[in-house]
Amino acid sequence: MADGLETLNQNSFPVPALDIVLAEQLATLARQGLRRELRRVASPQGPHVRVDGRELRNFSSNDYLGLANHPVIVEAAIRATRDYGAGSGASRLICGNLTPHHEAEEALAAFKGTAAALIFSSGYSAALGVIPALVGPEDVVIVDKLIHACCVDAARLSGAKLRVFAHNDLNDLEQILQWATGRAELGRILIVTESVFSMDGDLAPLKPLVELKEKYGAWLMLDEAHATGCFGANRRGLAEAAGVSSQVDIQFGTLGKAIGAAGGYVAGSRTLVDYLVNRARSFIFSTAPGPAAAGAARAGIELVQGPEGAARAATLWQRVAEMKTEMASSGWCPQSSASAILPLMVGGEAEAVELSRRLRGLGVLVPAIRYPTVARGLARLRVTLSASHTTDDVQALGEAISVFHPEPDSPGASLVA
Ligand SMILES: *Cc1c(COP(=O)(O)O)cnc(C)c1O
């Protein structure tokens, strides 16, 4: 129906031509096992959630420390709302710049050990603001093949020359750096990578990576979305654990995962933050985050830094170890994961969706991750653990997955059910 003509549906309402085109596309996605649907969760985030009237053990959130519904953080959101209202009214640069935003940024800078920090409405919008503010058409952005979509989108938006290096492959990165530094019109070079990769759970080799970026005079932006709160002696992230924090030019992440709140952040020098306030378009042209989000973020950051954060991180790592044992005993090998993200490789999109559905029938919620989140043919079940899981939760998932076995000798192929 590409001619734009309207037809009538069975109730004789005109069907807009737009809907006809879109419905065809949705049908194509469904045929490929790629159609996505929203699932309504009728409870707060936690180790157990209510979905379709049933309680499921939840192995799908990024609430690594179990803080999303923590009473201290909930109370901080309520207090910020009571004191500063529900809405912030305008962008930060107009009149929406409230005390809770500054308090969250001061807490974040202290936590990250940087001179300054800046919060955004989301990590996604932070990336869209930051990368195009730092580089343009005369520059080069080099990203890891498995970097999060927000950084890819932001790199494209910047208009810089975009080059992709093979996942965690520093030889490939160095070749691209050599090419980039050898270009006649010398622009800037920005490397963007993740410390803990969101869909594989493996880690970037930060120490040699930092050496490379220094050797070639490139800037480094590090996405710590899945490491902040979990890694490092003070749980600042993988940069802290690797001892390279001071060499990361732009520390970037989200307040919506282990911190238990919502929003994105950048931490770095005062000059970087002052510059972004003037140049990051998603900061300038967007209403400031609500007081509740900023209040919750500050409380989450403080909680993560303190003894409760330490205890929760220790529990998280204990659950991860237990889960790996469970997985190994049922023949599932969680690949090269070194984090709280333990992907079970399936391969086919439809198979992954079907396996996720069957696991739901057994009372566990594990999402099927498919293209375009991961490459075609690399669909997987992405198990994530939280400090709020009990050993009993872990065993229940272990039992559920032991019903299914990965097909021997063909990792990433179909399943023997
Ligand atoms: C979740 C995520 C983001 C985006 O953060 P939001 O606050 O959810 O928008 C960025 N990078 C990575 C690696 C992520 O997993």
Side-chain angles (χ1 to χ4, degrees), residues 33 36 38-39 65 68 76 97 121 126 149 154 157 181 190 197 220 237 247 257 273 287 345 367 370-371 396 398 407:
R36 297 168 180 224
L38 289 170
R39 188 173 299 122
L65 297 180
N97 186 43
S121 301
L157 183 64
T181 45
L190 174 66
F197 283 85
L220 175 63
Q247 289 143 294
K257 289 170 180 155
V273 167
T287 300
M345 299 307 289
R370 300 164 270 169
Y371 178 84
E407 201 164 76

Side-chain angles (χ1 to χ4, degrees), residues 122-125 148 150 194 198 223 225-226 252 254-257 263-264:
S122 71
Y124 189 101
S125 75
H148 191 265
C150 67
E194 241 161 272
S198 61
D223 184 345
H226 297 275
F252 164 72
T254 178
L255 302 164
K257 289 170 180 155

Side-chain angles (χ1 to χ4, degrees), residues 293-383:
R298 176 196 174 183
I301 292 159
E302 286 172 355
L303 209 144
V304 165
Q305 280 179 281
E308 185 169 352
R312 282 174 178 262
T315 304
L316 173 67
W317 293 117
Q318 198 176 331
R319 295 294 168 269
V320 169
E322 291 166 6
M323 191 72 241
K324 283 185 164 172
T325 306
E326 290 283 343
M327 286 175 170
S329 74
S330 59
W332 288 97
C333 169
Q335 302 279 323
S336 53
S337 169
S339 67
I341 302 164
L342 300 169
L344 304 178
M345 299 307 289
V346 178
E349 284 74 25
E351 287 101 316
V353 172
E354 173 59 15
L355 192 53
S356 173
R357 192 186 66 76
R358 288 202 232 163
L359 287 174
R360 224 159 41 245
L362 296 173
V364 295
L365 181 61
V366 184
I369 304 291
R370 300 164 270 169
Y371 178 84
T373 307
V374 294
R376 285 184 201 274
L378 290 182
R380 66 201 64 183
L381 296 174
R382 177 178 181 265
V383 171

